[in-house]
Amino acid sequence: MFEIVHIGYPKTASTWLQNEYFPKVKNFHFISWPTVNNSLLFTDCFLFDSQRVRDNFVTSGKSLLLSSEHLSTAINFGWHYGVYSFANAYKIKAIYPNAKIVIFVRRQQSLICSAYLQYIKNGGTFGFRKWLYSGKVFSFEHLIFSRLIQLYDSLFGEDNVKVYLFEEFKKNPLLFLSRFNEDLGFDIDLDEVSLEPVNRALRKRVAIIQKFMNLFYREPLGMKHYLIHLPGMGIIARQTMKRLNRFSVFGEFLSDENLLDPKDIDYIKTFYANSNKELSQRIGVDLKEYKYFIE
């Protein structure tokens, strides 16, 4: 028996993996993000009891599979100078020193826009550029993938840190999953797996309506504006968004192609090019093929 810990990143099919894929892996006992967060993320670093956590993760005699994208820190939660990501790596090491670590990455310009749309779905009201540049929600440092991978390499060994591209998964899901299963030793019937995405992008006019409705409740605190708090408005806003998002009359789906302007692209390219070169060398893949900014 052995342990596999999937740590994200957010917006790289984590919800699909947790809801649709990991529960169907026959030879692993799967524990998803609510339990993982309570045992790792929401525990004091100085009082952390690794033996107690191990005892709580009952495996029923199977190998253990843990998953929470929050272990690499939720993008709309704030980076906090990497403190949470750094501490979580050491907590995992204390619990399972020989674990295999699974990390999914996604080209930054695409991930950034997907994260912003999730911010709106969750109640956010900031305009895109305020969200992107103010430092109150998003932090560019969060998506320097190579540094987090280097940390896990140093703790678990490079052979035990498996890095996968979200773009490869999207390009050919069945081919990707066959390799994924072989790498990690998963026993799963792919015929039983639905490849329908769990989260969809927002349409342009739906995003505008959603942000307006978000002004009438206060959650999430600390990273939005609101005019007045109307109990239940958050639920109404989310349900309205889901219904309206089905109709093309509300415009095209938002993505990096229609959210980022040339100045944004130049900034993102300058910020991530060097770290993406390191990532490309680390995983042995030409990331330019997948539109990562390298130079």
Side-chain angles (χ1 to χ4, degrees):
M1 295 188 295
F2 59 95
E3 302 85 22
I4 293 176
V5 184
H6 166 243
I7 67 167
Y9 273 73
K11 310 311 299 178
T12 60
S14 297
T15 302
W16 179 83
L17 287 167
Q18 293 156 358
N19 292 352
E20 178 62 26
Y21 202 76
F22 289 155
K24 295 177 180 177
V25 177
K26 300 174 185 177
N27 56 332
F28 277 77
H29 180 78
F30 173 56
I31 299 178
S32 196
W33 65 269
T35 301
V36 174
N37 287 358
N38 285 333
S39 298
L40 288 169
L41 186 61
F42 305 136
T43 52
D44 186 277
C45 291
F46 292 100
L47 301 178
F48 185 68
D49 186 339
S50 58
Q51 184 59 55
R52 182 177 180 180
V53 174
R54 278 195 297 271
D55 292 342
N56 287 339
F57 289 160
V58 179
T59 66
S60 305
K62 296 181 179 180
S63 294
L64 184 63
L65 172 59
L66 308 179
S67 176
S68 173
E69 67 273 30
H70 302 113
L71 294 175
S72 60
T73 307
I75 288 177
N76 288 313
F77 180 69
W79 178 232
H80 297 285
Y81 305 102
V83 170
Y84 288 101
S85 294
F86 191 86
N88 289 334
Y90 279 91
K91 287 179 180 179
I92 296 169
K93 179 67 176 179
I95 307 170
Y96 302 119
N98 299 312
K100 288 187 177 180
I101 307 300
V102 172
I103 305 174
F104 276 74
V105 299
R106 177 177 179 177
R107 62 179 179 268
Q108 288 91 350
Q109 64 272 34
S110 175
L111 197 159
I112 282 170
C113 294
S114 180
Y116 174 66
L117 297 180
Q118 188 66 49
Y119 165 75
I120 295 174
K121 291 179 184 179
N122 291 345
T125 58
F126 289 178
F128 175 63
R129 280 164 191 84
K130 181 173 182 178
W131 175 88
L132 184 62
Y133 294 111
S134 69
K136 294 182 178 180
V137 185
F138 175 74
S139 175
F140 283 93
E141 289 80 4
H142 191 171
L143 303 185
I144 302 177
F145 303 132
S146 61
R147 301 302 168 83
L148 186 67
I149 293 167
Q150 288 168 9
L151 172 63
Y152 277 93
D153 283 349
S154 69
L155 292 173
F156 295 91
E158 189 172 316
D159 289 343
N160 286 325
V161 180
K162 306 297 183 181
V163 182
Y164 298 97
L165 300 182
F166 173 76
E167 292 79 12
E168 288 189 332
F169 167 67
K170 293 290 289 184
K171 180 179 179 181
N172 191 328
L174 290 178
L175 180 63
F176 173 88
L177 291 170
S178 295
R179 178 169 65 89
F180 186 61
N181 294 335
E182 184 177 352
D183 284 351
L184 300 175
F186 288 161
D187 179 9
I188 182 171
D189 186 350
L190 292 179
D191 291 334
E192 297 179 359
V193 175
S194 170
L195 295 174
E196 286 295 314
V198 176
N199 293 317
R200 294 185 180 276
L202 290 176
R203 295 183 184 274
K204 183 177 181 179
R205 296 185 183 90
V206 172
I208 294 171
I209 296 170
Q210 176 90 41
K211 282 197 294 182
F212 176 75
M213 296 183 73
N214 291 347
L215 289 168
F216 296 95
Y217 64 103
R218 62 173 170 259
E219 295 87 0
L221 292 174
M223 53 183 177
K224 68 177 288 184
H225 302 299
Y226 72 98
L227 300 175
I228 187 173
H229 178 67
L230 301 177
M233 179 55 76
I235 295 174
I236 294 171
R238 286 188 287 273
Q239 290 177 343
T240 300
M241 176 273 297
K242 288 182 180 179
R243 292 190 180 98
L244 298 183
N245 212 45
R246 302 170 186 170
F247 303 106
S248 60
V249 68
F250 289 99
E252 60 187 335
F253 290 105
L254 291 172
S255 68
D256 51 316
E257 294 179 354
N258 44 37
L259 274 173
L260 298 174
D261 66 23
K263 289 184 179 179
D264 301 325
I265 292 172
D266 286 343
Y267 188 90
I268 293 169
K269 182 184 296 185
T270 300
F271 197 93
Y272 293 117
N274 287 334
S275 66
N276 283 346
K277 288 179 184 177
E278 294 175 353
L279 174 63
S280 185
Q281 293 171 356
R282 162 62 174 82
I283 65 176
V285 175
D286 183 3
L287 292 178
K288 289 188 290 186
E289 178 184 344
Y290 296 100
K291 300 182 181 179
Y292 286 68
F293 291 135
I294 300 294
E295 54 189 22

